[in-house]
Amino acid sequence: QYKHYKQFDIFENAVGRPSSSSFPKHLQRTPVVCPCQISQAIMSIFEYNGAAIIAMAGKECVAIGSDLRFGVQLQTMTTDCPKAYKIHDKLYIGLSGLGTDAQSFHQQLVFRHNMYKLREERNIKPTTFGHMVSSMLYEKRFGPYFTAPVIAGLEEDGTPYLCGMDSIGAMETAKDFMVQGTAPESLYGMCESMWRPDMEPEELFETLSQCLLSGVDRDALAGWGAMVHVITKDKVISRTLKGRMD
Amino acid sequence: MVLKLDTSLLDRPAFTHSHRDELGEDAQIACHASTPGAQGFPLPAVRELDSFERQVVEMVKPAHGTTTLGFIFEHGVIIAVDSRATMGSYISSQTVKKVIEINPYLLGTMAGGAADCQFWERNLGQQCRLYELANGKRITVRAASKLLANTMFSYRGMGLSMGTMVAGYDHTGPGLYYVDSDGQRTQGQRFSVGSGSLYAYGILDQGYKWDLSVEDAIELGQRAIYHATFRDAASGGTASVYHVTPDGWKKVRGDDVLDLHSRYYPKPELHPTNAVEVL
C-alpha cells in the first residue's frame, strides 16, 4: 500500500526545540500569483486555505496530526506547513481555518503562555488552557478569528485531555477524538470506525495516521503529506508522513 | 359540506403545442429537432425562463475542476487527462474517465459538467456514424468538431457546461479542435483545459517540440498532468495518456499520480515546496 512512514525524530524530554511559528519562507521572496484566468468564487472563508486536523486519546498518551498543505483556494503553494503547534511539552494546539488567523492567534497564545510562565513559574494546565482559548475566541465574538482549534494535552497525572472549539469559542471536550478542517465528515467517518479505547502510543500513531491520510484523500483542499505528534509522559515523538500529493 | 379538492393542476400537461407557441421563436427552435443531431428537449415549465436558466448556469459552473491537455506533433496527437471529480472541496471520485472514445479514430475530452460531456460526445458519435452510412466514408475531425460546436451553439445560454477537445486523424492528417459550451470552436496545435490547465501549460510549452519522439511526447503529456495534479487541488487521481495515429487511438499510460510522484521525486525532502526543516 502507498502509506509508509518515515520516522523523523524522537525527542527525549522535548525541550529546546523552537516552536514552529514559521511564516512560510517562500512568501518572503516571491509574490503570490493567482490563477486569474480561472476565477474561483470563494466558497467560504474557512475554505480559503484548507486544513485537516485530528487529535486522538490513548492510554496515558495523546496524539495530534495535521496535513502539510499550504494553499490559496485551488493552488497549492508549499507542502511544509503543519497546523499543530506546541505550547509546551505536554500541550499541543491545532488551528484550522484561515491560515493568517491561525498564525496570528497562535502568536497571541504563545505570548499569553509566556506571560503565564513568568507569573506562575510553571507550565499551564491543559484544562486551564482550553478555557483560556475559549474566552480569547469569544472576546472577538463580533469580529472573530476564522480559525477553529483542537487542543490535545496530558494532565499532571497522565490522563489525556482533548477538546475542540468552533471559531467563537464553543468548547467541547472528548474522550476519544476531535477533528477540524475542510473535510470534517471524511475525518469523522474514519475516526469513528477506527478508534478504540486504551491504545498504546505506537498503535495510536498508526490509527491516527491512517485516519488522517485516508480522510484527506477525499478532500481537495488538504493533504500533500501529514505530520503527527504523539505525546506521552516522558517524550514527544513527531513523524512526517508521506501521502498522496494530488 | 363537501370539501372540494383543487385538481386544476392535473387538467392538462404543462407542455403542449399551445404552450409552445407562447414561448417564442428561439425556444421553439431549441425544442424542435431542426438539425439532425440536435434532440428535441422540452423546456422547463417555469414562469421565468431566463432567471431559471441563469440559476442553472450558476449551479453547474463551479464544476470545471480538472486538467486535460492535447497536442499535435510529428507522429500524431497526444491527449492526456487526470481523473478527479470534485463537488466544492469534496472529492467525489478519483477514477473518472475523462477521455470519451467517440469512435476508434476520434477522441473527446471531458471538462466541465460530466453529464453534458458524456451525453453530447456520445451524441456526436451517433452523428458521425450516420455521416459514414450516408456518405460511405469516414467523417473528418474538422466536420465532427463543427457538428458538436453547432449543437452547443443551439443550446447557448441554457446552462450547458462543457469544454472539450476533439482530436483525431483523417485523410488530411491529425486534427485537434477545442469546442466549448459557449459555441467556441478553435483549431490549434496545443491546448489545455480546466482549472489545472495553467500548470500543465507551463510544462507543455517548455518541453514541446514538433519532432519529439513518440516516447518523449507521451512522457511530456504525462508529466504535464502530474505537475498540474500537484499544484491544482481540483485535479488528481491517475494520469491517462492516449496516442492518436493514422490507425486510430491507443491508450498508452494510466499511472496513479502517487507513483509518478515517487518516480519524479524519489527523495521527497528535496522537493522544492518542502523546506529543509519541517518542524
Side-chain angles (χ1 to χ4, degrees):
Chain A
Q1 262 279 314
Y2 60 80
K3 297 190 213 348
H4 51 282
Y5 314 117
K6 181 184 81 158
Q7 177 128 356
F8 196 71
D9 217 332
I10 295 182
F11 297 90
E12 308 279 337
N13 299 317
V15 216
R17 190 77 174 191
S19 65
S20 56
S21 58
S22 48
F23 187 80
K25 292 192 187 63
H26 68 284
L27 279 183
Q28 294 165 349
R29 289 196 305 271
T30 44
V32 173
V33 173
C34 214
C36 44
Q37 246 189 331
I38 289 92
S39 57
Q40 152 111 352
I42 300 182
M43 296 162 280
S44 145
I45 191 73
F46 288 96
E47 292 177 14
Y48 188 76
N49 294 120
I53 303 170
I54 304 183
M56 270 191 191
K59 195 179 174 95
E60 302 199 344
C61 58
V62 277
I64 183 164
S66 73
D67 72 314
L68 289 177
R69 176 181 184 259
F70 171 68
V72 171
Q73 292 187 111
L74 288 182
Q75 183 177 39
T76 304
M77 297 292 183
T78 74
T79 53
D80 62 359
C81 181
K83 288 139 192 115
Y85 304 99
K86 186 172 101 155
I87 302 295
H88 62 75
D89 299 342
K90 300 233 177 90
L91 184 58
Y92 274 67
I93 182 166
L95 290 165
S96 70
L98 191 62
T100 176
D101 279 2
Q103 276 179 357
S104 299
F105 190 62
H106 164 61
Q107 286 163 5
Q108 296 263 8
L109 291 175
V110 167
F111 169 65
R112 293 285 284 262
H113 182 237
N114 286 340
M115 293 304 291
Y116 187 93
K117 272 198 298 197
L118 287 170
R119 291 191 188 110
E120 302 268 328
E121 293 175 353
R122 63 176 176 87
N123 278 329
I124 193 170
K125 287 194 193 132
T127 347
T128 321
F129 183 72
H131 286 103
M132 184 179 87
V133 171
S134 172
S135 50
M136 279 171 77
L137 289 174
Y138 199 80
E139 266 174 351
K140 302 280 184 213
R141 171 66 175 79
F142 299 111
Y145 287 108
F146 295 113
T147 177
V150 174
I151 298 168
L154 279 181
E155 304 275 7
E156 261 65 33
D157 54 358
T159 37
Y161 176 83
L162 279 184
C163 93
M165 278 167 238
D166 65 0
S167 57
I168 44 175
M171 204 169 100
E172 201 60 54
T173 44
K175 292 230 168 6
D176 42 14
F177 53 83
M178 264 291 160
V179 314
Q180 277 293 355
T182 40
E185 295 91 2
S186 312
L187 299 170
Y188 273 129
M190 291 302 306
C191 292
E192 202 70 60
S193 50
M194 292 180 63
W195 186 85
R196 281 182 338 279
D198 291 330
M199 282 190 280
E200 295 296 324
E202 281 311 308
E203 216 189 332
L204 184 66
F205 163 75
E206 274 292 328
T207 311
L208 193 146
S209 306
Q210 292 285 2
C211 290
L212 190 55
L213 286 176
S214 300
V216 301
D217 280 351
R218 277 290 179 182
D219 183 9
L221 301 175
W224 279 260
M227 181 177 289
V228 181
H229 309 275
V230 182
I231 306 153
T232 50
K233 258 209 278 238
D234 43 358
K235 60 180 185 267
V236 175
I237 307 171
S238 303
R239 292 187 183 94
T240 312
L241 311 180
K242 228 195 275 204
R244 285 191 70 96
M245 303 294 257
D246 62 355
Chain B
M1 202 170 98
V2 177
L3 203 66
K4 190 172 191 311
L5 282 174
D6 177 23
T7 53
S8 58
L9 54 90
L10 298 170
D11 279 345
R12 61 173 202 166
F15 189 74
T16 60
H17 276 280
S18 57
H19 184 64
R20 234 200 237 180
D21 292 334
E22 292 159 21
L23 288 172
E25 271 265 315
D26 308 90
Q28 279 198 31
I29 293 172
C31 297
H32 249 297
S34 52
T35 63
Q39 324 254 98
F41 282 115
L43 286 179
V46 291
R47 193 160 286 139
E48 307 249 323
L49 196 63
D50 286 329
S51 59
F52 177 77
E53 302 293 4
R54 208 177 314 121
Q55 282 168 33
V56 171
V57 172
E58 289 305 314
M59 184 180 84
V60 186
K61 206 180 358 187
H64 271 274
T66 192
T67 312
T68 61
L69 63 90
F71 61 91
I72 302 179
F73 72 118
E74 191 185 353
H75 303 287
V77 194
I78 295 283
I79 298 278
V81 299
D82 75 312
S83 69
R84 175 177 286 190
T86 48
M87 299 192 311
S89 73
Y90 177 70
I91 298 174
S92 44
S93 172
Q94 292 267 60
T95 53
V96 178
K97 238 180 133 238
K98 294 194 187 177
V99 171
I100 293 146
E101 293 143 7
I102 299 168
N103 61 39
Y105 51 93
L106 266 185
L107 286 178
T109 59
M110 181 197 297
D116 290 335
C117 291
Q118 283 176 0
F119 181 88
W120 290 110
E121 291 183 18
R122 190 156 165 80
N123 177 273
L124 177 64
Q126 291 170 354
Q127 289 178 265
C128 291
R129 179 71 184 132
L130 289 170
Y131 177 98
E132 267 180 39
L133 292 169
N135 297 283
K137 60 177 178 175
R138 274 204 215 159
I139 192 171
T140 57
V141 186
R142 195 177 153 128
S145 61
K146 189 90 181 175
L147 285 174
L148 184 63
N150 286 344
T151 316
M152 285 299 112
F153 186 78
S154 64
Y155 286 96
R156 191 176 146 96
M158 302 189 77
L160 291 183
S161 168
M162 192 186 79
T164 184
M165 292 180 289
V166 178
Y169 231 102
D170 53 40
H171 69 277
T172 61
L176 182 65
Y177 289 81
Y178 167 72
V179 179
D180 80 9
S181 45
D182 299 326
Q184 181 184 351
R185 171 178 166 266
T186 322
Q187 192 203 14
Q189 210 185 48
R190 248 180 288 170
F191 285 115
S192 180
V193 184
S195 58
S197 62
L198 273 75
Y199 310 112
Y201 270 129
I203 305 298
L204 192 57
D205 291 343
Q206 182 260 337
Y208 177 82
K209 282 201 303 281
W210 169 256
D211 45 13
L212 281 171
S213 69
V214 174
E215 268 310 305
D216 287 343
I218 294 170
E219 181 62 26
L220 180 66
Q222 187 183 59
R223 221 160 41 88
I225 293 288
Y226 158 73
H227 281 100
T229 61
F230 182 82
R231 283 289 177 176
D232 182 29
S235 305
T238 55
S240 305
V241 187
Y242 286 69
H243 180 211
V244 192
T245 53
D247 308 320
W249 55 259
K250 183 163 178 277
K251 180 166 176 178
V252 288
R253 290 270 196 285
D255 298 328
D256 190 307
V257 148
L258 186 70
D259 301 328
L260 293 179
H261 182 79
S262 36
R263 211 186 303 161
Y264 294 135
Y265 296 98
K267 287 206 167 133
E269 321 74 84
L270 298 178
H271 195 278
T273 57
N274 245 331
V276 174
E277 42 189 11
V278 185
L279 283 181

